[in-house]
Amino acid sequence: MACNKGSSVAEAGSWDGSVWSWKWEKILQQGAAPVLGLLAEFFCCLQQYQLEQNVEDSYGWQHDTENVFTVKSCVKMLNDSKESYLPAALLKPINKLWEIKVPPSLLMFGWRFLLNRIATKEQLFKRGILTDHRDLCCVFCVTEIESLPHLFRSCTYLTNIWKKVYEWMGIEDGFTLDDFMDFLLNCEKVKCHSKRNIMAVIWIATVWSIWLTRNAIVFKNEEVEVFRPVYCGLEYLLYSL
């Protein structure tokens, strides 16, 4: 879990008796801005595990009785997880997501978005990475807690972004703003297959561009004009179709 060359897990925390405590702030300060979001998400995963003293590290595959990885056990794990961990309402939009012709990095972002695995301030607070309520405000409106629904649906500042995209598309009455921001309804309410694909690209480009702008403000302290990066992201993806 090295953030800089030469750092190690031992330098990323300390023992308090028999309890290991991660030094989140130190690691985040060392990390480069482009990877801070990934680091924060990685910390969320680590939070549920507790290290043990005087125990030798080893690799194990928890989905096999003998802790040995096999393709058969992996396939079974994936099939079981689809039923156990993914609500039925998510399977359809996720399947549609993989049909969009955009770069893999955007598909991965869209997948994490639909699963609510984006490292918003609300998620980081739940995982104990952020501890001060004053750090939870949305960087755009600075009035509400930054959660996934707020950031991409109800933020009064970003609603203007969606409205501009909505108007730019020339969508007729009957297709509401909430429909446009909801990926599943976005796909289902557009009857023409080719137009449906374009709408899906616009959807993922919009949420991706908003998230990049948000990260620039949070990690680089930039005062970013929101409209410009959003439109640049849209134009790039549309011209690459």
Side-chain angles (χ1 to χ4, degrees):
M1 198 188 68
C3 294
N4 283 336
K5 186 175 180 180
S7 62
S8 64
V9 173
E11 298 171 336
S14 60
W15 290 101
D16 183 7
S18 61
V19 179
W20 175 264
S21 298
W22 295 102
K23 297 178 181 178
W24 307 121
E25 295 182 0
K26 179 181 178 181
I27 299 173
L28 287 173
Q29 289 172 358
Q30 293 177 346
V35 299
L36 286 177
L38 294 176
L39 278 174
E41 197 165 335
F42 178 58
F43 296 157
C44 289
C45 297
L46 286 179
Q47 194 71 17
Q48 58 185 310
Y49 298 102
Q50 175 60 45
L51 301 184
E52 297 181 13
Q53 286 181 306
N54 303 319
V55 177
E56 185 177 353
D57 291 340
S58 63
Y59 294 100
W61 176 248
Q62 62 180 352
H63 301 286
D64 181 80
T65 55
E66 298 181 359
N67 290 329
V68 177
F69 175 83
T70 63
V71 173
K72 181 179 179 180
S73 65
C74 183
V75 172
K76 184 179 185 303
M77 181 270 293
L78 292 173
N79 289 333
D80 291 345
S81 65
K82 181 179 290 187
E83 297 180 2
S84 303
Y85 301 110
L86 290 182
L90 278 178
L91 293 179
K92 193 171 183 178
I94 286 177
N95 288 334
K96 287 184 177 293
L97 175 69
W98 300 123
E99 299 174 2
I100 305 177
K101 295 181 180 180
V102 294
S105 58
L106 266 71
L107 289 178
M108 290 302 297
F109 174 79
W111 178 66
R112 289 162 50 211
F113 178 94
L114 292 174
L115 293 177
N116 195 11
R117 294 295 186 270
I118 303 298
T120 60
K121 293 182 179 181
E122 180 189 52
Q123 287 287 347
L124 297 179
F125 182 77
K126 288 180 179 179
R127 299 294 183 177
I129 297 174
L130 292 180
T131 57
D132 193 332
H133 284 84
R134 292 172 295 182
D135 295 332
L136 302 185
C137 286
C138 169
V139 296
F140 295 108
C141 67
V142 200
T143 57
E144 302 289 339
I145 292 177
E146 183 195 83
S147 64
L148 194 70
H150 169 78
L151 190 58
F152 295 99
R153 183 179 297 273
S154 60
C155 176
T156 53
Y157 188 80
L158 291 177
T159 296
N160 294 325
I161 294 289
W162 288 105
K163 286 181 178 178
K164 289 292 183 181
V165 175
Y166 182 82
E167 294 170 0
W168 174 59
M169 284 298 297
I171 300 173
E172 299 178 358
D173 293 340
F175 196 83
T176 68
L177 184 62
D178 280 347
D179 288 345
F180 185 77
M181 291 191 293
D182 187 292
F183 179 68
L184 179 58
L185 290 177
N186 177 2
C187 292
E188 289 188 335
K189 295 195 72 171
V190 179
K191 303 302 180 184
C192 176
H193 187 268
S194 60
K195 289 184 178 180
R196 185 185 306 166
N197 289 335
I198 293 175
M199 291 294 293
V201 171
I202 292 174
W203 174 85
I204 196 170
T206 303
V207 294
W208 173 71
S209 299
I210 289 174
W211 184 249
L212 289 184
T213 303
R214 175 266 187 197
N215 286 345
I217 297 172
V218 171
F219 298 125
K220 298 180 180 180
N221 295 319
E222 292 185 3
E223 294 183 2
V224 182
E225 172 57 47
V226 177
F227 290 93
R228 183 174 181 180
V230 170
Y231 289 142
C232 287
L234 289 172
E235 290 175 359
Y236 168 77
L237 285 174
L238 289 175
Y239 283 119
S240 67
L241 288 177

